Amino acid sequence: MVEEASVGGVCLNRGCIPVKALLHAAGIVRNSLEARGMGIVFGQPEIDLLSLGTWQRRIVERLRRGIEFLFKTNGVELIRGKAKLLKPKTVGVRNDNGEIKITAPKVIIATGSIPAVLPGLEPDHKRIIDSNSALNLIDLPRQIIIIGAGAIGLEFATIFQRLGSKVLVLEMCDSILPGVDKDITNLLQRQMEREGVEFHLGVKGMSCQMSQSTAGVQVCIEGKTPLIADKILVAAGRKANTAELGLEEVGIELQETGFIKTDRSFQTNVKGVYAIGDVRGGPMLAHKAMHEGLILSEKLAPLQNSELRTKNHPRAIPFVVYTDPEVAIVGLTESEAKNNGMEVSISKVPVSAVGRSLTLGRTEGLCKIIADRKTKKILGVEIVAPQADALIAEATLAVELGLTAEDLGKVVHPHPTMSELLWEASAAVLGKAIHIVNQ
């Protein structure tokens, strides 16, 4: 295993884990304010960004040490340095001690992705920042402009707004979370606006100017008054991390988007060289990358007398946005199913139909099931609700195994829990809902 930085990749060090830790901390601030309605009064929260960052980094470090321990326990040799393909089966590794060459019959590229850069908005990591440098701020900006209303942009918008910044989100598309059904995005946007996040959608012709009189920065938009903020966070997607890997010299083909081309076995056009995770494109999700690693590992080094756990590519890969309420989606959206010419039955159950939501103080949201009209087979599930990240696991199982709404409805769900939302939505597909009026 060759790693030039810290083990664990983007997810552990600069993505999933640190961002979700900050989201949890920011959620405590909101909860303290909401507690007034329950008769519990706290003082005004004081945000110590340095201490918050130290706490977040301790979490990352603990998980990182766990990975390194597992490497040692399982006999994995960790080599620090920058890797480059010299030949199809030869990798050169540069570090402070010089360069070594490693030869192996199989080489797996799993270098992940890096933040995409917008022309004219290149990060200086001072006034213009990306998702990496946003995790290292020592001062909270009074006002921050976030460019991009995808998962990364919305999660950081939630963090900064709750910690006390004024947040403006700019998005070139006409809705947040482009590609997600409007039933979900409209509801989430409305809730975030109630908290104070300001959205500018369908934005065209953005440019950036540094203020000469202050430490601020100005964003100019065609036909609109310029927007001024202390910082700009560019969260406009990610691109493959392939620079200086030697792919061109070895002859590895890339997609037009810059991601590595592979076949269904994850092999590139060069025999013996494979790619998994973000670097080969598709949904850039840590759990998808890990599953690809499992599939490829078992194909390259099968265990004797052991059935493969991962015979096939999964058809159900869940996607979660950790806003509040959370958004979780698996399978086909309604628009995707209809664009594919499918006849579908749709059920929509509001979160408020489930008693547990009221006890959590979270009544905004819904669960939407897309099912085949004739067979009632579950094609997709969209949830915007508290605990959606956990609820989507059952929905993923239903889509992966081809279960019907009737199958899901037969399962007893504990009460009072948010899991009843899925049970109610599956019953609604059949016109047998109990806590809402059937359509």
Side-chain angles (χ1 to χ4, degrees), residues 297-311:
S297 297
E298 291 186 341
K299 285 182 177 178
L300 297 184
L303 297 173
Q304 290 185 349
N305 303 318
S306 176
E307 186 176 351
L308 295 184
R309 292 175 297 164
T310 48
K311 284 185 177 180

Side-chain angles (χ1 to χ4, degrees), residues 86-132:
L86 305 177
K87 297 178 182 178
K89 297 180 181 181
T90 303
V91 176
V93 183
R94 279 195 329 273
N95 56 31
D96 294 339
N97 298 320
E99 183 171 353
I100 62 171
K101 293 181 181 180
I102 307 169
T103 301
K106 310 290 183 186
V107 176
I108 301 173
I109 301 170
T111 50
S113 61
I114 57 176
V117 176
L118 295 178
L121 288 165
E122 294 82 3
D124 60 8
H125 304 294
K126 295 177 182 178
R127 289 193 277 189
I128 302 178
I129 60 177
D130 59 17
S131 58
N132 291 345

Side-chain angles (χ1 to χ4, degrees), residues 76-373:
V76 177
E77 183 180 357
L78 176 61
I79 299 173
R80 303 284 186 179
K82 172 71 174 178
K84 180 178 181 179
L85 280 167
L86 305 177
K87 297 178 182 178
K89 297 180 181 181
T90 303
V91 176
V93 183
R94 279 195 329 273
N95 56 31
D96 294 339
N97 298 320
E99 183 171 353
I100 62 171
K101 293 181 181 180
I102 307 169
T103 301
K106 310 290 183 186
V107 176
I108 301 173
I109 301 170
T111 50
S113 61
I114 57 176
V117 176
L118 295 178
L121 288 165
E122 294 82 3
D124 60 8
H125 304 294
K126 295 177 182 178
R127 289 193 277 189
I128 302 178
I129 60 177
D130 59 17
S131 58
N132 291 345
S133 46
L135 294 170
N136 299 317
L137 295 182
I138 58 174
D139 295 308
L140 195 65
R142 288 169 300 172
Q143 181 155 300
I144 185 168
I145 294 172
I146 298 177
I147 298 177
I152 296 171
L154 295 184
E155 289 179 1
F156 273 107
T158 301
I159 291 169
F160 281 111
Q161 184 69 35
R162 291 182 171 183
L163 293 181
S165 299
K166 171 59 183 173
V167 178
L168 294 83
V169 178
L170 311 186
E171 170 57 53
M172 291 183 285
C173 296
D174 293 328
S175 70
I176 66 173
L177 295 178
V180 176
D181 285 341
K182 289 291 184 72
D183 289 328
I184 303 298
T185 59
N186 289 345
L187 197 155
L188 178 61
Q189 181 179 336
R190 193 163 60 241
Q191 184 60 30
M192 293 185 72
E193 286 173 337
R194 287 195 186 108
E195 284 199 45
V197 177
E198 183 179 327
F199 288 94
H200 297 261
L201 305 177
V203 171
K204 308 295 181 187
M206 282 184 287
S207 62
C208 176
Q209 295 179 358
M210 300 297 177
S211 173
Q212 300 301 316
S213 57
T214 68
V217 62
Q218 179 176 276
V219 175
C220 300
I221 305 170
E222 282 183 9
K224 293 189 177 184
T225 304
L227 302 172
I228 301 174
D230 301 313
K231 294 188 185 296
I232 295 176
L233 167 57
V234 180
R238 301 183 67 83
K239 63 179 183 178
N241 182 21
T242 56
E244 301 179 4
L245 282 181
L247 304 183
E248 296 83 358
E249 293 92 324
V250 177
I252 291 177
E253 293 181 3
L254 301 179
Q255 305 171 36
E256 290 183 4
T257 51
F259 295 97
I260 296 175
K261 278 186 180 180
T262 68
D263 59 19
R264 281 186 58 80
S265 296
F266 307 108
Q267 186 165 241
T268 68
N269 62 301
V270 175
K271 188 176 180 180
V273 180
Y274 302 80
I276 56 173
D278 287 6
V279 77
R280 65 180 289 266
M284 285 186 274
L285 302 167
H287 45 281
K288 173 236 181 197
M290 185 174 73
H291 196 79
E292 289 179 351
L294 286 171
I295 295 172
L296 181 56
S297 297
E298 291 186 341
K299 285 182 177 178
L300 297 184
L303 297 173
Q304 290 185 349
N305 303 318
S306 176
E307 186 176 351
L308 295 184
R309 292 175 297 164
T310 48
K311 284 185 177 180
N312 303 306
H313 288 250
R315 58 183 172 185
I317 299 176
F319 164 69
V320 181
V321 185
Y322 293 83
T323 46
D324 185 2
E326 294 169 342
V327 172
I329 299 169
V330 69
L332 298 176
T333 63
E334 180 181 358
S335 54
E336 286 172 339
K338 289 181 176 178
N339 289 340
N340 289 336
M342 298 179 175
E343 293 187 359
V344 295
S345 294
I346 305 293
S347 72
K348 300 177 188 177
V349 175
V351 164
S352 57
V354 177
R356 181 63 172 140
S357 69
L358 278 74
T359 70
L360 295 171
R362 294 286 188 273
T363 56
E364 287 288 334
L366 63 84
C367 178
K368 178 176 177 180
I369 291 183
I370 300 94
D372 182 272
R373 181 175 295 178

Side-chain angles (χ1 to χ4, degrees), residues 23-97:
L23 280 164
H24 173 70
I28 293 174
V29 175
R30 182 185 175 185
N31 290 342
S32 70
L33 299 174
E34 290 179 331
R36 290 177 176 270
M38 307 171 194
I40 304 171
V41 180
F42 296 94
Q44 183 67 24
E46 296 182 11
I47 310 300
D48 181 346
L49 219 55
L50 279 173
S51 296
L52 185 56
T54 299
W55 169 75
Q56 170 250 114
R57 285 188 288 275
R58 281 202 304 266
I59 296 170
V60 171
E61 180 59 30
R62 178 176 175 175
L63 293 170
R64 189 186 296 145
R65 288 198 305 267
I67 294 173
E68 292 174 351
F69 170 77
L70 290 172
F71 277 177
K72 292 178 181 178
T73 303
N74 290 286
V76 177
E77 183 180 357
L78 176 61
I79 299 173
R80 303 284 186 179
K82 172 71 174 178
K84 180 178 181 179
L85 280 167
L86 305 177
K87 297 178 182 178
K89 297 180 181 181
T90 303
V91 176
V93 183
R94 279 195 329 273
N95 56 31
D96 294 339
N97 298 320

